[in-house]
Amino acid sequence: MSRQIGDVILDLQNISLRFGGVKALTDISFNIREHEVRAIIGPNGAGKSSMLNVINGVYHPQDGKILFRGQERKKMEPHMAAKQGIARTFQNIALFKGMSVLDNIMTGRTLKMKTNLLWQALWVGPARNEELVHRRKVEEIIDFLEIQHIRKTPVGRLPYGLQKRVDLGRALAMEPQILLLDEPMAGMNVEEKQDMCRFILDVNDQFGTTIVLIEHDMGVVMDISDRVVVLDYGKKIGDGLPDDVRSNPEVIRAYLGAGH
Amino acid sequence: MGFFIETLIGGLMAGMLYSLVALGFVLIFKSSGVFNFAQGAMVLFAALAMARFSEWANAALGGDSLAMANLIAFVGAGGVMWFVAWAVERFVLRKLVNQEGATLLMVTLGITYVLEGVGQTLFGSEIYNINVGMPKDPVMMFESVFDGGILINKEDFIAALIAAVLVGLLTLFFQKTPVGRALRAVADDHQAALSIGIPLNRIWVIVWLVAGVVALVAGIIWGSKLGVQFSLATVAMRALPVVILGGLTSVPGAIVGGLIIGVGEKLSEVYIGPMVGGGIEIWFAYVLALIFLLFRPQGLFGEKIIDRV
Amino acid sequence: MLYRENGQFKTTYAADQQIFPIAQDKWFVLGLIAFAFIGVPLLADEYLFRAILIPFLILALAALGVNLLVGYCGQITLGAGAFMAVGAYAAYNFLVRIDGMPLLGAILLGGLTTAGVGILFGIPSLRVRGLYLAVATLAAQFFCDWAFLRIKWFTNDSSSGSVSVSNLEMLGWSIDAPVEKYLFCLGIIVLFGLLAKNMTRATIGRQWMAIRDMDVAAEVIGIRPMFAKLSAFAVSSFFVGVAGALWGFVHLGSWEPAAFSVDRSFQLLFMVIIGGLGSIMGSFFGAAFIVVLPIFLNQFLPALGHLVGVSISTAAVSHAELIIFGSLIVFFLIVEPHGLARLWSIAKEKLRLWPFPH
């Protein structure tokens, strides 16, 4: 099933973000189309994670507008972003260290669980059935990410690469429309990176999820993304197809280095 | 009007004593990030040591040289507090480097119990006296300004003076000396301080020793006034809200907070108390702190707490 | 060899999610409960009921409540004693002011009232955490201490400030003898234990633990911190309030506010730390430990003293208690923050290999 890239789902206009005197983002505008894989690249400190945090509602930009499906978003809070179908993973793996892999991914289903506290305490009827329904769904994700063998392991005990996979699983459990991935392949070896690429592409293929990806590995970025945005010192210096961006002299100067 | 001023001054002086205990809190927190719930127990422990040592020394010297006995007792009690500081660092703090605040808080709860138990086992659990020559008689002042004058307790006055001097010295210590700077670095980040060569362990012993001596002074003053008994620890716990008000990292904050709490307690007891059945001193300080927590958690002078994602 | 999962395959998710996935565990606990209901009444004497079993059951319930809040949701509280007081006094007022109020009804309503108060005093947790939250809960503790002492309405205007409850009965069954009180408490505790276990393996439990582990990330997945924290306070306070009502009605009979002082709050926190944060079973372990230890020391220390020729007074024993409790808290926090419950799991792990060494 080849994915059809759709209309603009998220439109960021003139976003500026400051922390006290530090300008993290200056007048950034770009859009994201539905079902595409959009990469955000740039040197360290360029403001990429801040950009994701803005989309997600963790940071609030001082200037600029964000339009979600054509509708302007008022001040966004993280759990509202979650409700609107935006999920994300973190650079520093914000997993719940005290819980198992299964439980961590199950937390991703929180928004979809409707039974109230009393039913849960009694563990009958609606609560019990709902738990089983969601368990089935989460097991599908576990199969998909090939982590069946560690489903009961406390997350804190897993190696870094597997933790990143669980982080992805938790985001997937939300069945998001937009998936924000913050350096999902950082610290992985070649095989792990290939696995991760496969997962990301499969997600995009099978579920049509729009993917916004921060990544440093240029090979990966050029391979899997449909369009690329380049940031440097909080400003946008490139935006377009991977090949175009690759040959943009400003981008080469700032980031890729001469001779690419 | 005269009565109001009297109450006010009484509150200020009581507040000064709270500040003294609060100072111990701030010292330890500023330099190790530990909130020392056991500060109240340390006051009791130090006071017990002082009282009993003085008694024993006096008896050993023939029962007549109180000043000498007190001096010996002071040094002895100081030594005891040094031992406490060493033990806490060696057996507790060293094992809990970089643990989160809640764990450290609960550990100091455990230390509280241990100090209370050991203190009473070693020194006894009755009421003891401390006599360091504090004048007990009140004095009438400002007779020309206010009708009938204002009754001021000489003991409270001297206590307030001592507290003020101690606070001044400690502020200077933190701001101006290299050790003080090192302590501030440690409070900020244990690991970073370690990596630039600050000897964490020794620093912590020093800090807890200083806090212990502050507790000793507070214990002497309060013990002299109220007698040394177990309830001293609970009265000292009223200093907790003081640091919330003043800000956990601020030495001047401990003073201002203490004064506010001292005055507030006295005034509210006198003027609001009768309306609601009295005895509101036990919660006034805490509820005031609670209100501050809701609107300004860092207190009046503390640093803003920042959470990073 | 005996304690193995061999052959115990789970073929449905439902089977995998049971409270006791390992059959031996299930039989052990069911057996224990059966013994508690049937065997103990036949074997125990009055002293055992009054001094050990009943306090243990009630305090275990309170510790369970505190563990839900502190161990599962990560919100520290030093005011649990005050919440027990709220439960006791609320239940008392429901019982004496409303004609024909059944005993169980009064107790449960007392618990619900405490839940409401818990939500109120839980509001600071939305703004602050750690030691700041501890101070906020202390404010609740001291305020309640004062309120139950000075506001006469709470004690039904009793002149002495103490209240008493007598002639407990439920559906015609009079709860008077120690064994009857024991069974009454046992029934309630087993039920509440089940409710607690269910909640911790359902969504709400996961929400609590998510907030405890990383509340910023929890928000990003859609968990509302306000709902999670306040629901933890509410449920925890409900448990603690019911325990308070039971403590006053069943264990003490008549009480004053001092029965629920800040020492009680510390005691509950210690139970949870020693027993194991974030563990249902740990709450029971902790409660058992703290109830039994003073009695044990009272017998053991003077005997030990006799052996070495030192006479140990009761005051000395209570001081020793303080030292031992304090040291245990420090010990557990340094060595095994998951308390006795973790030690129990480790023992079970060893048991899986027994009698083989590895």
Side-chain angles (χ1 to χ4, degrees):
Chain A
M1 181 172 88
S2 67
R3 37 194 167 93
Q4 290 279 45
I5 298 188
D7 297 320
V8 171
I9 186 173
L10 206 59
D11 195 359
L12 297 123
Q13 297 175 355
N14 310 103
I15 301 285
S16 288
L17 180 68
R18 278 188 305 280
F19 297 114
V22 179
K23 287 208 190 121
L25 300 167
T26 311
D27 198 32
I28 306 233
S29 303
F30 66 95
N31 62 34
I32 300 167
R33 288 179 178 279
E34 199 160 8
H35 307 310
E36 76 170 338
V37 177
R38 193 82 148 101
I40 303 180
I41 67 174
N44 276 324
K48 310 189 293 292
S49 287
S50 303
M51 194 71 240
L52 282 195
N53 281 337
V54 163
I55 296 178
N56 189 217
V58 177
Y59 292 157
H60 301 128
Q62 280 79 10
D63 295 309
K65 274 201 300 199
I66 304 177
L67 292 139
F68 184 60
R69 291 193 191 282
Q71 292 229 333
E72 183 173 346
R73 266 172 25 173
K74 296 302 165 196
K75 195 147 187 225
M76 177 69 87
E77 293 293 327
H79 68 261
M80 284 167 57
K83 270 209 191 110
Q84 292 197 345
I86 302 179
R88 72 170 287 177
T89 65
F90 293 87
Q91 214 173 351
N92 305 322
I93 307 182
L95 286 175
F96 306 123
K97 293 273 160 53
M99 296 199 256
S100 67
V101 168
L102 182 61
D103 279 334
N104 262 278
I105 303 183
M106 283 288 270
T107 60
R109 303 296 292 172
T110 303
L111 280 174
K112 309 222 179 270
M113 301 231 186
K114 301 288 176 214
T115 52
N116 68 29
L117 210 146
L118 195 54
W119 283 122
Q120 289 173 35
L122 295 172
W123 197 256
V124 289
R128 192 174 167 164
N129 290 335
E130 198 182 50
E131 187 80 13
L132 290 172
V133 162
H134 290 291
R135 171 73 187 265
R136 211 159 280 137
K137 199 76 182 69
V138 166
E139 289 287 343
E140 279 171 27
I141 295 176
I142 291 180
D143 282 342
F144 174 70
L145 291 171
E146 295 163 13
I147 46 179
Q148 302 93 323
H149 57 295
I150 50 167
R151 63 157 80 74
K152 293 287 177 75
T153 315
V155 150
R157 287 208 220 136
L158 293 173
Y160 187 74
L162 285 177
Q163 285 189 16
K164 283 225 146 207
R165 241 188 256 188
V166 177
D167 204 6
L168 179 61
R170 186 179 62 177
L172 289 178
M174 290 166 68
E175 294 180 31
Q177 296 180 42
I178 305 179
L179 186 55
L180 310 172
L181 299 172
D182 198 341
E183 298 198 35
M185 294 175 227
M188 288 188 182
N189 62 31
V190 173
E191 276 174 32
E192 290 171 328
K193 278 194 190 176
Q194 285 179 344
D195 284 335
M196 202 52 140
C197 273
R198 182 163 43 92
F199 295 140
I200 295 175
L201 285 175
D202 279 345
V203 166
N204 181 249
D205 245 349
Q206 289 177 22
F207 308 121
T209 314
T210 312
I211 310 242
V212 181
L213 168 72
I214 296 179
E215 188 43 59
H216 275 296
D217 185 330
M218 276 307 109
V220 165
V221 169
M222 296 303 161
D223 255 343
I224 70 173
S225 28
D226 295 311
R227 287 194 299 155
V228 179
V229 170
V230 190
L231 300 180
D232 189 24
Y233 287 116
K235 299 201 182 69
K236 184 174 91 165
I237 60 173
D239 184 359
L241 299 175
D243 282 329
D244 298 337
V245 160
R246 199 203 317 239
S247 46
N248 181 331
E250 267 210 53
V251 171
I252 294 176
R253 199 180 317 127
Y255 188 40
L256 292 177
H260 241 270
Chain B
M1 184 59 183
F3 179 61
F4 174 75
I5 301 279
E6 243 176 49
T7 317
L8 187 69
I9 296 190
L12 283 172
M13 297 203 276
M16 218 51 212
L17 291 183
Y18 282 145
S19 301
L20 209 48
V21 181
L23 221 55
F25 280 132
V26 170
L27 273 178
I28 292 184
F29 188 80
K30 235 170 128 68
S31 47
S32 55
V34 175
F35 188 77
N36 183 21
F37 212 82
Q39 192 68 24
M42 278 166 69
V43 170
L44 172 66
F45 194 77
L48 274 174
M50 179 74 186
R52 301 296 262 145
F53 282 169
S54 161
E55 204 182 297
W56 296 333
N58 205 9
L61 289 172
D64 215 16
S65 38
L66 191 58
M68 191 59 176
N70 275 332
L71 194 60
I72 297 178
F74 187 78
V75 173
V80 164
M81 294 319 283
W82 180 62
F83 178 73
V84 168
W86 174 85
V88 166
E89 191 281 320
R90 178 76 178 72
F91 296 115
V92 180
L93 291 182
R94 205 179 282 195
K95 322 266 181 178
L96 289 173
V97 175
N98 260 359
Q99 286 278 1
E100 37 172 282
T103 309
L104 292 167
L105 172 70
M106 294 196 278
V107 150
T108 57
L109 270 180
I111 297 178
T112 306
Y113 269 52
V114 171
L115 280 178
E116 287 174 359
V118 171
Q120 290 181 83
T121 309
L122 283 180
F123 302 120
S125 49
E126 296 163 16
I127 306 182
Y128 303 106
N129 282 317
I130 290 186
N131 191 347
V132 287
M134 295 279 248
K136 302 280 178 189
D137 47 321
V139 67
M140 201 66 94
M141 292 177 63
F142 300 126
E143 266 149 342
S144 52
V145 182
F146 295 105
D147 201 23
I150 302 193
L151 209 59
I152 294 191
N153 202 322
K154 264 201 225 155
E155 184 171 27
D156 286 345
F157 185 70
I158 296 188
L161 222 58
I162 296 179
V165 167
L166 207 55
V167 164
L169 286 175
L170 283 167
T171 313
L172 276 173
F173 172 70
F174 264 105
Q175 298 297 109
K176 304 290 179 192
T177 65
V179 182
R181 270 199 298 278
L183 289 178
R184 282 189 288 149
V186 168
D188 217 24
D189 190 332
H190 295 176
Q191 301 275 41
L194 266 175
S195 62
I196 58 173
I198 295 181
L200 218 54
N201 299 330
R202 230 184 307 150
I203 293 274
W204 281 346
V205 175
I206 295 177
V207 166
W208 280 68
L209 172 59
V210 175
V213 170
V214 169
L216 177 57
V217 173
I220 293 176
I221 296 180
W222 269 13
S224 164
K225 192 171 151 68
L226 300 173
V228 179
Q229 48 186 309
F230 189 70
S231 57
L232 205 59
T234 23
V235 174
M237 279 326 293
R238 284 228 279 277
L240 241 177
V242 170
V243 295
I244 300 289
L245 234 78
L248 267 174
T249 48
S250 162
V251 169
I255 316 297
V256 175
L259 293 178
I260 295 179
I261 298 265
V263 169
E265 262 185 7
K266 285 276 181 309
L267 286 180
S268 65
E269 182 62 41
V270 166
Y271 291 105
I272 307 181
M275 291 195 281
V276 288
I280 65 177
E281 275 184 335
I282 60 171
W283 57 257
F284 178 80
Y286 274 92
V287 171
L288 193 60
L290 176 61
I291 295 174
F292 254 81
L293 282 178
L294 292 175
F295 300 107
R296 204 188 152 89
Q298 73 269 33
L300 291 168
F301 299 103
E303 295 152 9
K304 229 181 160 108
I305 321 149
I306 308 186
D307 257 331
R308 295 224 96 212
V309 173
Chain C
M1 200 164 81
L2 296 168
Y3 188 69
R4 296 225 95 185
E5 289 166 71
N6 262 347
Q8 296 179 35
F9 296 111
K10 310 290 179 297
T11 49
T12 63
Y13 295 131
D16 193 44
Q17 277 175 336
Q18 335 163 32
I19 294 181
F20 300 111
I22 303 179
Q24 286 93 329
D25 277 339
K26 181 157 60 174
W27 292 123
F28 178 68
V29 173
L30 286 177
L32 197 63
I33 296 180
F35 178 69
F37 271 107
I38 306 173
V40 171
L42 295 173
L43 296 170
D45 64 357
E46 197 175 295
Y47 171 75
L48 202 61
F49 283 129
R50 245 197 252 282
I52 298 188
L53 291 172
I54 294 177
F56 157 66
L57 287 175
I58 302 177
L59 289 177
L61 179 60
L64 202 50
V66 171
N67 211 342
L68 287 177
L69 186 60
V70 180
Y72 282 93
C73 194
Q75 310 298 312
I76 190 166
T77 175
L78 292 176
F83 286 168
M84 280 181 86
V86 172
Y89 281 102
Y92 172 73
N93 275 286
F94 275 112
L95 194 67
V96 300
R97 288 178 191 273
I98 301 182
D99 270 330
M101 168 67 73
L103 175 66
L104 209 52
I107 293 180
L108 290 177
L109 283 171
L112 285 174
T113 312
T114 319
V117 172
I119 293 180
L120 193 66
F121 278 110
I123 290 177
S125 74
L126 303 175
R127 274 293 246 122
V128 297
R129 63 174 74 158
L131 63 94
Y132 298 98
L133 185 58
V135 170
T137 55
L138 274 180
Q141 172 74 49
F142 293 133
F143 184 77
C144 288
D145 278 350
W146 170 83
F148 290 124
L149 198 58
R150 302 283 178 159
I151 300 183
K152 289 295 167 201
W153 187 85
F154 289 130
T155 55
N156 211 9
D157 300 311
S158 99
S159 51
S160 62
S162 73
V163 302
S164 67
V165 176
S166 54
N167 292 335
L168 305 171
E169 62 118 27
M170 180 172 85
L171 297 176
W173 170 46
S174 149
I175 305 176
D176 214 26
V179 66
E180 290 163 344
K181 291 184 176 181
Y182 162 76
L183 287 171
F184 181 63
C185 292
L186 184 64
I188 294 183
I189 271 79
V190 168
L191 176 65
F192 273 68
L194 185 62
L195 292 177
K197 188 68 187 176
N198 284 338
M199 280 190 279
T200 55
R201 55 180 176 146
T203 294
I204 190 69
R206 285 191 292 267
Q207 286 193 36
W208 290 340
M209 292 193 273
I211 293 286
R212 172 195 70 192
D213 286 343
M214 199 172 287
D215 50 0
V216 183
E219 244 198 298
V220 167
I221 350 177
I223 296 176
R224 289 196 326 274
M226 179 161 87
F227 176 72
K229 288 182 184 176
L230 291 184
S231 64
F233 268 95
V235 171
S236 160
S237 309
F238 180 63
F239 276 54
V240 172
V242 169
L246 285 177
W247 190 256
F249 284 20
V250 175
H251 179 61
L252 293 178
S254 79
W255 72 90
E256 301 177 330
F260 302 110
S261 71
V262 71
D263 289 307
R264 179 73 62 200
S265 301
F266 288 165
Q267 191 191 43
L268 290 173
L269 194 62
F270 288 178
M271 282 183 203
V272 160
I273 294 177
I274 292 180
L277 289 161
S279 155
I280 303 284
M281 209 161 44
S283 321
F284 286 95
F285 283 155
F289 191 82
I290 293 212
V291 165
V292 166
L293 188 67
I295 299 180
F296 172 74
L297 284 177
N298 250 318
Q299 312 286 5
F300 179 68
L301 279 183
L304 187 66
H306 267 143
L307 271 176
V308 294
V310 177
S311 112
I312 301 191
S313 65
T314 31
V317 173
S318 71
H319 298 156
E321 228 174 85
L322 287 175
I323 300 178
I324 293 181
F325 277 151
S327 321
L328 277 173
I329 293 290
V330 173
F331 174 77
F332 271 104
L333 282 171
I334 293 178
V335 171
E336 184 50 86
H338 294 278
L340 293 172
R342 172 59 61 86
L343 296 178
W344 173 254
S345 313
I346 294 178
K348 283 204 297 182
E349 282 296 310
K350 294 257 153 54
L351 199 56
R352 290 168 118 201
L353 299 171
W354 184 82
F356 303 107
H358 58 84

